[in-house]
Amino acid sequence: MTAPVEVNRPGVGTRLVTFYHEVVAEMKKVTWPDRAQLQQSTIQILIFVLVLGAVIGLVDVALQALLVRLPSMLFGG
């Protein structure tokens, strides 16, 4: 029977410092949008959200009207 092999791992502090350095290195690779790109993207997202909200609102109103009138049309009211 063989004895279990112990792996020497660095301590928690060392691992945290290494993680921090790796995060900083990765963040330096990120390309951030300039102000004009950010503004254009924000406007596009706001327009999309407003249009999507309007579509959902219209579908809601149509289904509500249909479901309120449907029973009276089918069974007479």
Side-chain angles (χ1 to χ4, degrees):
M1 184 168 228
T2 60
V5 177
E6 290 187 25
V7 177
N8 291 334
R9 288 182 18 178
V12 174
T14 305
R15 287 186 290 165
L16 283 174
V17 169
T18 304
F19 175 75
Y20 174 75
H21 288 299
E22 290 174 358
V23 168
V24 170
E26 287 297 320
M27 292 303 287
K28 288 181 180 178
K29 296 177 186 177
V30 174
T31 56
W32 298 99
D34 60 8
R35 185 171 175 85
Q37 290 174 331
L38 187 62
Q39 191 173 23
Q40 181 182 5
S41 297
T42 302
I43 290 170
Q44 289 173 347
I45 290 170
L46 287 175
I47 291 171
F48 175 76
V49 167
L50 290 173
V51 168
L52 185 62
V55 168
I56 290 172
L58 289 173
V59 169
D60 180 50
V61 168
L63 286 175
Q64 184 177 6
L66 179 69
L67 292 175
V68 166
R69 293 185 185 148
L70 186 62
S72 63
M73 290 186 327
L74 290 176
F75 303 114

